Each structure stands twice: as C-alpha cells, then as structure tokens.
Amino acid sequence: MIKSKIDKVTSFEKRFEKINTVIFESSEVASKAAAAEIATLIKKKQKAKEMCVLGLATGSTPKRLYAELVRLHREEGLSFKNVIAFNLDEYYPMEPDAIQSYVRFMKELLFNHVDIEPGNFHIPDGTLAKKDIASYCKEYEAKIDALGGIDLQILGIGGNGHIGFNESGSLPNSKTRLVTLDHITRVAASKDFQGLYNTPKTAITLGIKQIMQAKQVVLMAWGEGKSSIIKASVEGPITEQVPASYLQEHPNSVFILDKGSSSKLTRVSTPWIVEKVEWDEKMIKKAVVGLALRLEKAVLMLTEADYIENGMSDLLTEVGDAYDINIRIFNKLQHTITGWPGGKPNADDSNRPERANPAKKRVLIFSPHPDDDIISMGGTFMRLQNQGHEVHVAYQTSGNIAVADDEALRFSDFVIDYNRSFGLDNRKSVEIYKKATEFIKNKKTSEIDIEEVRNIKGLIRRSEARATSYYVGLTDEQIHFNDLPFYETGTIEKNPPGEEDIKITMDLIEKIKPHQIYAAGDLADPHGTHKVCLDIIFESLKRLKTKSYMKDCWLWLYRGAWQEWDIEDIEMAVPMSPSQVLAKRYGIFKHQSQKDGVVFQGSDSREFWQRAEDRNKETATKYDELGLAHYAAMEAFVRYHY
C-alpha cells in the first residue's frame, strides 16, 4: 500500500521532496498502512524460513501502529515467532518497571500481547553502571550485525529533527552510545516526568550509522506541530542540525505523514507550484491569503504581476483578473468577522458566519481540561453570555494530573485549618492529609498518585473552573463536570475512550439540546487529551444525528493554547477590544494552580494567559495586514459539518 502511493508521486513533486513521502488522511489510516507493511515483511520472511529483524521506536507516534499489529495478531493470526526486535533507545538512568521506561512501554503496548519469544526483543539497559555502557553498546550493535542488520526500522522524529536520541549535531557515522539530551527534547518529555527537574538528562541510543544501514526505514510523524521539521528534513539540505535529513541518502526510506505533519510541504502548502490544481473557492482563498501574507501586502493591493511571478498565472487564466479575485477574497475574509458569535438578532445574516435565529440560543461549550474554555475562547464565552444566550460549559476531564504536589498539600492543609477554625470534626481530614503527605514525601517518579491525592488535585481544578464560570456569569445549573472515565488513570497515558465516555457526553447533549456546540479542535495538543475528547464528541454527535433538534445544532471548533487556525481556514473571527482582552486575562487567572511554573509547561515558557493573548493578537494582526479592520485581538473558529 505504501509502495503504491509512492509510485504515484510525480517527478515534479520529487524535485522538492528529496525523500519518498506518503500523506494519509489521518494518523489512524497511516498507522494501519505501516502495520500492513511490517506484516507483509514478517510473512515474507516466514515463507523463506528466515528471521525478521525489526527496529522499533517509542513515544506517542507508534502507539496506533503497535495497536494494529496486536489486532493483526489476535484477529488475523499474524505470528511474531520469527521476529527479533531491537529498540532504538532508553532513558538513562531508568529502571525497567518505571512508568516512563521504554521496556515497560514496549511490553504494555506490544510484546505482552503477541507471540514474540521473550529472548527475541532487545531494549537498551538503563540500569547499567556508566563504566559498562560503552561495551554494552558495542555488544548491542554486534547482535544486530550478526543477524545481517535491521530489515525494517521504524522511526519517529523530534521537534529538532532527532531520530532515536540522535540530537542535533549527531554525525552520520555516530554509533550506539550514551548521549546528552537536548533541552528541547527534555522539555517535550517533561510531561511524562512531572516536570523538567525530574526528566533524565541522558539516554542510550542507536547511532545514525546503524539506522542508515537498515534495509528499509519508515519514519512516521503526526500533527501540525511536526510540520516545520518535516519540511526541513524532506525539502531542506542534509545537515547534522537536522539528523532526519540524513535519510535523504538512504536508498529505501519513506516518510509516512498525516495531513497535519505534511501541511508545510510545498505540494501541500502551495500545490499550484507543483501541479495543475482545481481552483475551487477553498483553494483560491488559500492561495490569495498566502500570497498576500508572504508579500506583506493587503489583499486589495495584489497585482497581476504578483500572481504571475508566484506561480499563480493559471488562477488568472481560469478565474479572472487580479482586481476581481482580490475583491472576492477580501469580502470572504470580511464576512468571517463578527461581534455576535451567537448570531445578531433581527439582522440580515446572509453574510454572517452565524444565524440570526433563534435570537436566544442554547450554547454548550466543551472544555477538555478545566481551563481550555477561558484560555481558548474566553472572549467569545463572555460575549455569548453577555448577549443573552443560555450558555452551558462542560468540563470533560478532571485535569487532576496537571496539579503540582505542593498545591495538593497546601489545599489539604487549608481544609484542616478551616475545620479547626469553625470547630468541625477534623479527624478524617487530618488522616487524609497525613496519608497524602507521607505518600508525596516518598513518591518516586515511577509512581501513580494514590486516590486521595488525585481527588484533592481534581477538587482544586474543579473549584478553579467553577470560579471562572461564576466570573463569566454562569450559575451552577449551567456548569457540568463530566469527569470522563478514560482520563482517570493517574498518568499521562490514558485509556482508550469507551462507551461510558460517549454515554456521558450524549446524555448532556440530549439534556441541553444546543443550537451551538463549541469544542476543542486543537489536535496539536501535546497531551493528546484534546483529540480523545473531540473523538468522543464526534461519536456522540454521529449517534445523535437523527434527533430532530440536531438539525439546528452547529458545531464550532476552537483551538487551544498551542496554536491557531490558519487564516484561510477561519470561518468565524470574534474581535476583542483591549478591555475584553483584559477581562479574559482575569478569567484565566482564576486557574491559580496553572500559573507560575505549571506541571505541563510544554516547550513554551510563557504562561497560558500570555500564550492566549499573543495568539489572539497575532490573528488580529494578520487580518490587519490583509487590509481588514484592526482589532486588539481575535478568537477564531472553524465550523465542522458532522
């Protein structure tokens, strides 16, 4: 399947792309294609009575791949008896039973569920004495060489282009070794270690040389967060600063991408440069907006020469002159801007993003974490409430793992003081506090919080969410805590969404019968929770689609603190004045546990309110640069047709 897709890539595309690159509709479809490739190789080796040597990767990227391999084993009889696996890397130091251990990762996701022989999978040992690592690494490579090398190597890619833990600066002849992790890599991993302070600084990794000697290499990448480094690896020069770029010289390598990770490749971002395109409304808007931003011109200032000199002469030939096209796109952009996200009553709504009727709408805002509502669409949230709509907010998960241990103890201590001050029975509170204190005092990075600690942290997030909703003007009847079960594992790794998650969501939608639903479409969320929450909403809406009230229900997708919709994709832009920006900031401040060095900061050192303001300001600035009205900030939405 992958090979057939590669064959369809045109020679013109290959002029830009120096590595075979296959783009799939989604990471799910792509993962199944990669699993099919592996399964075909395993079966081919079985027929030849040969061992199949696989190089395997860890991290979030290959999870669906391993799930599909397990399914193929269970449902289609794919045997792993002839498979020998070598993993790319392991943190150092690292105990094999730690939550963050790649030994545990591989066993729980793959090895424990297939019939691979126990002695046939190898993962670098994170418990070695440092003096023994060099000899161990030589032996690790010798085992691979003795088997004739790796038949197929699976790779992910880091934000700085690392493959395995071969960071920027790794040379093409680098061998398996102990490496110092880049700060960017550690920050990205810090979510698994409850903060950067606990994140290992070193790791053992297979070297570039051994990876390049693999007979076939499959690199997978998902999401827009990887789009820049994918473009650099595929279309840029070969450089030690982007180790993945070395794969340009591999005779049999392929990048398997989803739409998000491929979005900055030339054939995706400016396809008219690569091949003849169909100039539909979406493509025209994408091309004109992109051209204006690239040339730093207002849309109405673009000339025919601008179109011709930037590979868009076909657009002029097929659609018309530059002046008419400019007016057409300017009007489309203008019509996305509205100060009435719930629709403007008694107004002509033919050129507005939302309907005028009903004048008072029932609105349901889904917030994956307890602060996504105010961070991502706080200005719109307040506008909807102030304009008289019946606004409900549903906090989909407890968000308890994002609370620091000392915050949990501080609030528990407050409860004890509160009870003591008012003469209330304090015995149970003291008992819980002592148990929590003892656990946190002796807590290892590999341990999951005990139930009492998780509950305290969940209560903190709940109280903050409620405070934000009160600030906006909601009553208790309009605030809903779903506490979806898939989230409650106590770790970053969540359970797959289940029927109970869907039932809880469906029941709430049935109860409210909304005219508008707002949901987080931020699939670049590094935690992954946003995507699971969105999938649950999609499935719920799919099952409720035949209900009469659903005909009048529109779904609007917002994005979180991590990134914004591209201008050409935005269908509703809600402007904010300086005072509204400030009001939103104060709403975000209600989430005190998420200020001043939060547990999951990500690679961005700014606080969430700063990220939100900068992102909203950037959207407004782009509209201004395109020649539209100038606002302090804007929140953006895309309508999803389910």
Side-chain angles (χ1 to χ4, degrees), residues 40-336:
T40 298
L41 179 62
I42 292 173
K43 291 174 184 176
K44 180 182 176 181
K45 291 283 188 175
Q46 285 169 351
K47 284 185 179 179
K49 300 187 183 306
E50 296 175 353
M51 300 303 290
C52 180
V53 183
L54 298 179
L56 300 179
T58 49
S60 60
T61 302
K63 287 180 180 178
R64 290 189 186 90
L65 166 67
Y66 296 147
E68 177 63 10
L69 288 174
V70 171
R71 188 197 69 78
L72 289 172
H73 170 70
R74 289 176 173 171
E75 298 179 14
E76 299 184 21
L78 177 65
S79 176
F80 288 74
K81 289 280 188 182
N82 71 318
V83 171
I84 300 177
F86 290 88
N87 263 72
L88 276 169
D89 43 35
E90 176 62 286
Y91 291 111
Y92 181 85
M94 180 60 61
E95 294 294 328
D97 61 345
I99 293 173
Q100 306 90 345
S101 164
Y102 288 160
V103 173
R104 182 167 177 169
F105 178 99
M106 291 305 304
K107 286 183 176 180
E108 291 183 354
L109 269 70
L110 181 62
F111 298 147
N112 287 351
H113 308 288
V114 297
D115 59 346
I116 189 170
E117 297 291 345
N120 280 358
F121 58 83
H122 309 274
I123 303 169
D125 187 350
T127 67
L128 296 166
K130 194 170 267 190
K131 64 181 178 61
D132 297 327
I133 293 177
S135 59
Y136 172 84
C137 290
K138 286 182 181 178
E139 291 173 10
Y140 200 78
E141 288 197 343
K143 288 178 183 178
I144 295 173
D145 293 338
L147 293 165
I150 293 170
D151 293 309
L152 189 152
Q153 175 69 59
I154 295 293
L155 296 174
I157 184 171
N160 60 356
H162 73 237
I163 47 178
F165 277 133
N166 293 286
E167 303 284 15
S168 298
S170 295
L171 299 176
N173 63 348
S174 60
K175 296 186 176 182
T176 302
R177 66 207 185 280
L178 181 70
V179 296
T180 298
L181 298 177
D182 190 292
H183 177 72
I184 295 173
T185 301
R186 292 183 65 237
V187 168
S190 63
K191 65 183 185 296
D192 297 326
F193 291 89
Q194 297 288 301
L196 186 62
Y197 178 80
N198 298 315
T199 306
K201 295 181 178 180
T202 56
I204 298 172
T205 185
L206 200 68
I208 297 287
K209 185 177 180 180
Q210 192 68 245
I211 291 171
M212 292 295 287
Q213 288 175 346
K215 299 177 182 70
Q216 182 178 0
V217 175
V218 176
L219 185 147
M220 305 187 301
W222 320 136
E224 293 174 19
K226 296 291 178 71
S227 59
S228 294
I229 198 62
I230 287 296
K231 180 177 176 64
S233 301
V234 173
E235 297 186 0
I238 297 173
T239 169
E240 64 191 49
Q241 295 307 309
V242 183
S245 67
Y246 290 137
L247 293 171
Q248 293 179 22
E249 295 187 328
H250 193 282
N252 188 16
S253 65
V254 59
F255 278 34
I256 298 180
L257 312 174
D258 66 353
K259 284 189 171 182
S261 61
S262 66
S263 60
K264 291 188 179 177
L265 292 177
T266 300
R267 65 163 145 149
V268 177
S269 62
T270 53
W272 48 88
I273 294 176
V274 176
E275 59 185 355
K276 188 174 180 61
V277 300
E278 181 182 341
W279 288 108
D280 57 19
E281 286 300 312
K282 187 175 181 181
M283 188 68 76
I284 295 171
K285 186 179 179 185
K286 177 184 177 73
V288 175
V289 169
L291 178 64
L293 291 174
R294 192 162 58 253
L295 298 182
E296 298 182 351
K297 281 188 172 185
V299 169
L300 295 178
M301 296 297 290
L302 293 173
T303 66
E304 291 203 357
D306 292 330
Y307 282 76
I308 294 168
E309 290 168 8
N310 287 276
M312 292 165 57
S313 57
D314 281 357
L315 176 56
L316 298 177
T317 303
E318 294 184 26
V319 179
D321 63 38
Y323 178 81
D324 290 336
I325 295 171
N326 294 347
I327 289 287
R328 182 169 161 182
I329 298 307
F330 179 87
N331 287 336
K332 282 187 175 296
L333 291 169
Q334 183 68 51
H335 295 159
T336 65

Side-chain angles (χ1 to χ4, degrees), residues 8-24:
K8 294 177 183 177
V9 176
T10 67
S11 59
F12 202 47
E13 286 171 0
K14 289 180 179 178
R15 197 183 78 192
F16 294 96
E17 297 173 13
K18 303 165 188 174
I19 299 176
N20 287 327
T21 306
V22 185
I23 303 169
F24 289 86

